[in-house]
């Protein structure tokens, strides 16, 4: 017992654990905002790049689609040199027709709203 008492006393006299470092709230918030901005920029870049692996096979693409119901569509699909007319429902995909003569692919034009908005934004950029 006499030998345990000095050990207990020396154990009690050990220096206390170091105080935790001070947390700087502004630095923490700035770091958090930087990480969030980085995530948003990377998401925007991935959306803009439209990588081929995400888009799918380039030999197969939807030329045109027509909505005929809430979840029903008719699709004109280009597969290689052939065009297929497909009926698509929530539970089924049916071949409606195989076109003998392929229809020309529509020319992609910007909608009127997008064109006008682009002009306004360019004009605003020039005036600044």
């Amino acid at each position: 017992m006499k030998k345990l008492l000095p050990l207990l006393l020396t154990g009690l006299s050990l220096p206390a654990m170091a105080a935790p470092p001070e947390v700087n709230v502004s630095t923490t918030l700035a770091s958090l905002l930087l990480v969030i901005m980085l995530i948003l920029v990377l998401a925007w870049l991935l959306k803009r790049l439209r990588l081929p692996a995400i888009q799918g096979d380039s030999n197969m693409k939807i030329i045109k689609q027509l909505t005929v119901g809430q979840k029903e569509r008719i699709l004109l699909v280009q597969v290689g040199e052939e065009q297929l007319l497909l009926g698509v429902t929530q539970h089924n995909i049916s071949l409606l027709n195989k076109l003998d003569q392929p229809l020309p692919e529509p020319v992609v034009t910007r909608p009127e709203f997008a064109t006008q908005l682009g002009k306004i934004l360019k004009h605003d950029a020039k005036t600044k």
Side-chain angles (χ1 to χ4, degrees), residues 88-99:
V88 180
T89 66
Q90 187 174 4
H91 302 290
N92 193 14
I93 299 174
S94 303
L95 176 63
L96 301 177
N97 194 3
K98 181 178 172 184
L99 300 180

Side-chain angles (χ1 to χ4, degrees), residues 4-20:
L4 287 176
L5 187 59
L7 287 174
L8 288 174
L9 291 176
T10 56
L12 293 176
S13 66
L14 289 175
M17 293 179 65

